[in-house]
PDB file of all heavy atoms in Angstrom:
ATOM      1  N   VAL J 306      42.627  81.942  71.742  1.00 97.00           N
ATOM      2  CA  VAL J 306      42.406  83.193  70.928  1.00 97.00           C
ATOM      3  C   VAL J 306      43.542  84.138  71.156  1.00 97.00           C
ATOM      4  O   VAL J 306      44.071  84.308  72.286  1.00 97.00           O
ATOM      5  CB  VAL J 306      41.107  83.852  71.403  1.00 97.00           C
ATOM      6  CG1 VAL J 306      40.886  85.228  70.741  1.00 97.00           C
ATOM      7  CG2 VAL J 306      39.866  82.962  71.228  1.00 97.00           C
ATOM      8  N   ASP J 307      43.972  84.720  70.082  1.00 97.00           N
ATOM      9  CA  ASP J 307      45.017  85.786  70.139  1.00 97.00           C
ATOM     10  C   ASP J 307      44.343  87.074  70.487  1.00 97.00           C
ATOM     11  O   ASP J 307      43.315  87.479  69.830  1.00 97.00           O
ATOM     12  CB  ASP J 307      45.661  85.860  68.765  1.00 97.00           C
ATOM     13  CG  ASP J 307      47.033  86.544  68.863  1.00 97.00           C
ATOM     14  OD1 ASP J 307      47.944  85.998  69.373  1.00 97.00           O
ATOM     15  OD2 ASP J 307      47.071  87.703  68.374  1.00 97.00           O
ATOM     16  N   LEU J 308      44.822  87.763  71.556  1.00 98.00           N
ATOM     17  CA  LEU J 308      44.151  89.041  71.959  1.00 98.00           C
ATOM     18  C   LEU J 308      43.993  90.008  70.799  1.00 98.00           C
ATOM     19  O   LEU J 308      43.005  90.672  70.559  1.00 98.00           O
ATOM     20  CB  LEU J 308      44.784  89.647  73.148  1.00 98.00           C
ATOM     21  CG  LEU J 308      44.582  88.927  74.529  1.00 98.00           C
ATOM     22  CD1 LEU J 308      45.327  89.730  75.637  1.00 98.00           C
ATOM     23  CD2 LEU J 308      43.132  88.789  74.863  1.00 98.00           C
ATOM     24  N   SER J 309      45.083  90.107  70.062  1.00 97.00           N
ATOM     25  CA  SER J 309      45.113  91.068  68.916  1.00 97.00           C
ATOM     26  C   SER J 309      44.008  90.731  67.888  1.00 97.00           C
ATOM     27  O   SER J 309      43.263  91.577  67.376  1.00 97.00           O
ATOM     28  CB  SER J 309      46.453  91.098  68.136  1.00 97.00           C
ATOM     29  OG  SER J 309      47.507  91.241  69.078  1.00 97.00           O
ATOM     30  N   ASP J 310      43.879  89.418  67.599  1.00 97.00           N
ATOM     31  CA  ASP J 310      42.822  89.004  66.662  1.00 97.00           C
ATOM     32  C   ASP J 310      41.455  89.348  67.232  1.00 97.00           C
ATOM     33  O   ASP J 310      40.555  89.805  66.491  1.00 97.00           O
ATOM     34  CB  ASP J 310      42.901  87.527  66.442  1.00 97.00           C
ATOM     35  CG  ASP J 310      44.106  87.109  65.633  1.00 97.00           C
ATOM     36  OD1 ASP J 310      44.764  88.005  65.059  1.00 97.00           O
ATOM     37  OD2 ASP J 310      44.416  85.878  65.650  1.00 97.00           O
ATOM     38  N   ALA J 311      41.272  89.138  68.577  1.00 98.00           N
ATOM     39  CA  ALA J 311      40.013  89.409  69.213  1.00 98.00           C
ATOM     40  C   ALA J 311      39.635  90.879  69.101  1.00 98.00           C
ATOM     41  O   ALA J 311      38.533  91.251  68.759  1.00 98.00           O
ATOM     42  CB  ALA J 311      40.027  88.891  70.651  1.00 98.00           C
ATOM     43  N   TRP J 312      40.639  91.763  69.322  1.00 98.00           N
ATOM     44  CA  TRP J 312      40.370  93.189  69.160  1.00 98.00           C
ATOM     45  C   TRP J 312      40.079  93.560  67.716  1.00 98.00           C
ATOM     46  O   TRP J 312      39.230  94.388  67.406  1.00 98.00           O
ATOM     47  CB  TRP J 312      41.548  94.004  69.710  1.00 98.00           C
ATOM     48  CG  TRP J 312      41.410  94.333  71.194  1.00 98.00           C
ATOM     49  CD1 TRP J 312      40.280  94.912  71.807  1.00 98.00           C
ATOM     50  CD2 TRP J 312      42.320  94.089  72.272  1.00 98.00           C
ATOM     51  NE1 TRP J 312      40.505  95.055  73.123  1.00 98.00           N
ATOM     52  CE2 TRP J 312      41.723  94.525  73.450  1.00 98.00           C
ATOM     53  CE3 TRP J 312      43.579  93.463  72.262  1.00 98.00           C
ATOM     54  CZ2 TRP J 312      42.378  94.468  74.677  1.00 98.00           C
ATOM     55  CZ3 TRP J 312      44.208  93.373  73.502  1.00 98.00           C
ATOM     56  CH2 TRP J 312      43.600  93.869  74.720  1.00 98.00           C
ATOM     57  N   ASN J 324      44.436  86.252  78.998  1.00 97.00           N
ATOM     58  CA  ASN J 324      43.970  84.963  78.533  1.00 97.00           C
ATOM     59  C   ASN J 324      45.182  83.988  78.609  1.00 97.00           C
ATOM     60  O   ASN J 324      45.388  83.134  77.728  1.00 97.00           O
ATOM     61  CB  ASN J 324      43.438  85.001  77.094  1.00 97.00           C
ATOM     62  CG  ASN J 324      44.489  85.310  76.052  1.00 97.00           C
ATOM     63  OD1 ASN J 324      45.593  85.840  76.390  1.00 97.00           O
ATOM     64  ND2 ASN J 324      44.222  85.006  74.798  1.00 97.00           N
ATOM     65  N   ALA J 340      55.426  84.581  79.074  1.00 98.00           N
ATOM     66  CA  ALA J 340      54.082  84.423  78.606  1.00 98.00           C
ATOM     67  C   ALA J 340      53.172  85.593  79.040  1.00 98.00           C
ATOM     68  O   ALA J 340      52.382  86.098  78.249  1.00 98.00           O
ATOM     69  CB  ALA J 340      53.517  83.104  79.107  1.00 98.00           C
ATOM     70  N   VAL J 341      53.422  86.139  80.221  1.00 98.00           N
ATOM     71  CA  VAL J 341      52.660  87.242  80.689  1.00 98.00           C
ATOM     72  C   VAL J 341      53.005  88.462  79.855  1.00 98.00           C
ATOM     73  O   VAL J 341      52.126  89.218  79.493  1.00 98.00           O
ATOM     74  CB  VAL J 341      52.910  87.562  82.250  1.00 98.00           C
ATOM     75  CG1 VAL J 341      52.270  88.899  82.625  1.00 98.00           C
ATOM     76  CG2 VAL J 341      52.367  86.377  83.056  1.00 98.00           C
ATOM     77  N   LEU J 342      54.341  88.683  79.602  1.00 97.00           N
ATOM     78  CA  LEU J 342      54.770  89.771  78.827  1.00 97.00           C
ATOM     79  C   LEU J 342      54.179  89.788  77.393  1.00 97.00           C
ATOM     80  O   LEU J 342      53.720  90.833  76.865  1.00 97.00           O
ATOM     81  CB  LEU J 342      56.293  89.762  78.748  1.00 97.00           C
ATOM     82  CG  LEU J 342      56.980  91.061  78.440  1.00 97.00           C
ATOM     83  CD1 LEU J 342      56.580  92.123  79.544  1.00 97.00           C
ATOM     84  CD2 LEU J 342      58.554  90.859  78.451  1.00 97.00           C
ATOM     85  N   ARG J 343      54.135  88.576  76.889  1.00 97.00           N
ATOM     86  CA  ARG J 343      53.600  88.446  75.487  1.00 97.00           C
ATOM     87  C   ARG J 343      52.125  88.909  75.419  1.00 97.00           C
ATOM     88  O   ARG J 343      51.733  89.569  74.460  1.00 97.00           O
ATOM     89  CB  ARG J 343      53.707  86.946  75.017  1.00 97.00           C
ATOM     90  CG  ARG J 343      53.650  86.778  73.529  1.00 97.00           C
ATOM     91  CD  ARG J 343      54.200  85.446  73.056  1.00 97.00           C
ATOM     92  NE  ARG J 343      53.736  84.315  73.797  1.00 97.00           N
ATOM     93  CZ  ARG J 343      54.525  83.443  74.438  1.00 97.00           C
ATOM     94  NH1 ARG J 343      55.854  83.595  74.374  1.00 97.00           N
ATOM     95  NH2 ARG J 343      54.050  82.417  75.091  1.00 97.00           N
ATOM     96  N   ILE J 344      51.433  88.616  76.491  1.00 98.00           N
ATOM     97  CA  ILE J 344      49.990  89.118  76.527  1.00 98.00           C
ATOM     98  C   ILE J 344      49.958  90.636  76.685  1.00 98.00           C
ATOM     99  O   ILE J 344      49.255  91.290  75.944  1.00 98.00           O
ATOM    100  CB  ILE J 344      49.226  88.365  77.677  1.00 98.00           C
ATOM    101  CG1 ILE J 344      49.052  86.938  77.282  1.00 98.00           C
ATOM    102  CG2 ILE J 344      47.949  89.073  77.969  1.00 98.00           C
ATOM    103  CD1 ILE J 344      48.437  86.088  78.355  1.00 98.00           C
ATOM    104  N   LEU J 345      50.740  91.131  77.610  1.00 97.00           N
ATOM    105  CA  LEU J 345      50.693  92.564  77.892  1.00 97.00           C
ATOM    106  C   LEU J 345      51.112  93.386  76.679  1.00 97.00           C
ATOM    107  O   LEU J 345      50.543  94.446  76.383  1.00 97.00           O
ATOM    108  CB  LEU J 345      51.572  92.892  79.083  1.00 97.00           C
ATOM    109  CG  LEU J 345      51.065  92.330  80.440  1.00 97.00           C
ATOM    110  CD1 LEU J 345      52.163  92.475  81.539  1.00 97.00           C
ATOM    111  CD2 LEU J 345      49.785  92.972  80.806  1.00 97.00           C
ATOM    112  N   GLU J 346      52.098  92.884  75.942  1.00 96.00           N
ATOM    113  CA  GLU J 346      52.567  93.637  74.711  1.00 96.00           C
ATOM    114  C   GLU J 346      51.495  93.749  73.681  1.00 96.00           C
ATOM    115  O   GLU J 346      51.515  94.700  72.898  1.00 96.00           O
ATOM    116  CB  GLU J 346      53.877  92.956  74.226  1.00 96.00           C
ATOM    117  CG  GLU J 346      55.051  93.482  74.991  1.00 96.00           C
ATOM    118  CD  GLU J 346      56.330  92.719  74.703  1.00 96.00           C
ATOM    119  OE1 GLU J 346      56.255  91.713  73.998  1.00 96.00           O
ATOM    120  OE2 GLU J 346      57.362  93.167  75.169  1.00 96.00           O
ATOM    121  N   GLN J 347      50.554  92.838  73.668  1.00 96.00           N
ATOM    122  CA  GLN J 347      49.458  92.943  72.686  1.00 96.00           C
ATOM    123  C   GLN J 347      48.386  93.924  73.151  1.00 96.00           C
ATOM    124  O   GLN J 347      47.595  94.371  72.407  1.00 96.00           O
ATOM    125  CB  GLN J 347      48.754  91.545  72.552  1.00 96.00           C
ATOM    126  CG  GLN J 347      49.602  90.540  71.880  1.00 96.00           C
ATOM    127  CD  GLN J 347      48.833  89.224  71.818  1.00 96.00           C
ATOM    128  OE1 GLN J 347      47.859  89.124  71.102  1.00 96.00           O
ATOM    129  NE2 GLN J 347      49.270  88.283  72.596  1.00 96.00           N
ATOM    130  N   THR J 348      48.411  94.264  74.481  1.00 95.00           N
ATOM    131  CA  THR J 348      47.317  95.132  74.945  1.00 95.00           C
ATOM    132  C   THR J 348      47.618  96.567  74.764  1.00 95.00           C
ATOM    133  O   THR J 348      46.729  97.340  74.546  1.00 95.00           O
ATOM    134  CB  THR J 348      47.088  94.820  76.461  1.00 95.00           C
ATOM    135  OG1 THR J 348      48.176  95.281  77.230  1.00 95.00           O
ATOM    136  CG2 THR J 348      46.792  93.339  76.715  1.00 95.00           C
ATOM    137  N   ARG J 349      48.894  96.978  74.873  1.00 87.00           N
ATOM    138  CA  ARG J 349      49.269  98.406  74.743  1.00 87.00           C
ATOM    139  C   ARG J 349      48.253  99.313  75.416  1.00 87.00           C
ATOM    140  O   ARG J 349      47.986  99.195  76.523  1.00 87.00           O
ATOM    141  CB  ARG J 349      49.434  98.712  73.247  1.00 87.00           C
ATOM    142  CG  ARG J 349      50.580  98.046  72.633  1.00 87.00           C
ATOM    143  CD  ARG J 349      51.887  98.661  73.159  1.00 87.00           C
ATOM    144  NE  ARG J 349      52.999  97.716  73.164  1.00 87.00           N
ATOM    145  CZ  ARG J 349      54.132  97.879  73.862  1.00 87.00           C
ATOM    146  NH1 ARG J 349      54.269  98.976  74.552  1.00 87.00           N
ATOM    147  NH2 ARG J 349      55.091  97.013  73.798  1.00 87.00           N
ATOM    148  N   ASP J 350      47.584 100.216  74.656  1.00 83.00           N
ATOM    149  CA  ASP J 350      46.650 101.143  75.321  1.00 83.00           C
ATOM    150  C   ASP J 350      45.233 100.651  75.270  1.00 83.00           C
ATOM    151  O   ASP J 350      44.283 101.423  75.420  1.00 83.00           O
ATOM    152  CB  ASP J 350      46.778 102.509  74.568  1.00 83.00           C
ATOM    153  CG  ASP J 350      46.566 102.419  73.107  1.00 83.00           C
ATOM    154  OD1 ASP J 350      46.514 101.289  72.589  1.00 83.00           O
ATOM    155  OD2 ASP J 350      46.480 103.450  72.487  1.00 83.00           O
ATOM    156  N   ARG J 351      45.088  99.413  75.043  1.00 95.00           N
ATOM    157  CA  ARG J 351      43.715  98.807  74.962  1.00 95.00           C
ATOM    158  C   ARG J 351      43.198  98.515  76.400  1.00 95.00           C
ATOM    159  O   ARG J 351      43.980  98.366  77.374  1.00 95.00           O
ATOM    160  CB  ARG J 351      43.716  97.480  74.188  1.00 95.00           C
ATOM    161  CG  ARG J 351      44.182  97.661  72.729  1.00 95.00           C
ATOM    162  CD  ARG J 351      43.013  97.880  71.826  1.00 95.00           C
ATOM    163  NE  ARG J 351      43.420  98.454  70.547  1.00 95.00           N
ATOM    164  CZ  ARG J 351      43.856  97.828  69.532  1.00 95.00           C
ATOM    165  NH1 ARG J 351      44.001  96.508  69.576  1.00 95.00           N
ATOM    166  NH2 ARG J 351      44.170  98.435  68.449  1.00 95.00           N
ATOM    167  N   HIS J 353      42.044  96.318  79.179  1.00 98.00           N
ATOM    168  CA  HIS J 353      42.308  94.877  79.358  1.00 98.00           C
ATOM    169  C   HIS J 353      42.392  94.577  80.898  1.00 98.00           C
ATOM    170  O   HIS J 353      42.881  95.350  81.638  1.00 98.00           O
ATOM    171  CB  HIS J 353      43.713  94.577  78.745  1.00 98.00           C
ATOM    172  CG  HIS J 353      44.161  93.147  78.968  1.00 98.00           C
ATOM    173  ND1 HIS J 353      45.426  92.885  79.531  1.00 98.00           N
ATOM    174  CD2 HIS J 353      43.572  91.917  78.838  1.00 98.00           C
ATOM    175  CE1 HIS J 353      45.573  91.559  79.643  1.00 98.00           C
ATOM    176  NE2 HIS J 353      44.423  90.964  79.223  1.00 98.00           N
ATOM    177  N   TRP J 380      55.517  95.756  84.253  1.00 94.00           N
ATOM    178  CA  TRP J 380      55.220  96.255  82.929  1.00 94.00           C
ATOM    179  C   TRP J 380      54.467  97.626  83.062  1.00 94.00           C
ATOM    180  O   TRP J 380      54.741  98.518  82.313  1.00 94.00           O
ATOM    181  CB  TRP J 380      54.380  95.258  82.197  1.00 94.00           C
ATOM    182  CG  TRP J 380      54.182  95.551  80.764  1.00 94.00           C
ATOM    183  CD1 TRP J 380      55.080  95.311  79.730  1.00 94.00           C
ATOM    184  CD2 TRP J 380      53.095  96.155  80.128  1.00 94.00           C
ATOM    185  NE1 TRP J 380      54.553  95.757  78.533  1.00 94.00           N
ATOM    186  CE2 TRP J 380      53.318  96.265  78.760  1.00 94.00           C
ATOM    187  CE3 TRP J 380      51.855  96.659  80.611  1.00 94.00           C
ATOM    188  CZ2 TRP J 380      52.433  96.836  77.884  1.00 94.00           C
ATOM    189  CZ3 TRP J 380      50.907  97.191  79.725  1.00 94.00           C
ATOM    190  CH2 TRP J 380      51.235  97.276  78.385  1.00 94.00           C
TER     191      TRP J 380
END
Side-chain angles (χ1 to χ4, degrees):
V306 174
D307 198 70
L308 286 182
S309 311
D310 291 345
W312 270 306
N324 67 342
V341 171
L342 203 57
R343 200 159 48 238
I344 288 174
L345 293 171
E346 277 170 351
Q347 293 177 70
T348 67
R349 292 290 152 196
D350 55 352
R351 299 267 160 85
H353 174 234
W380 190 80

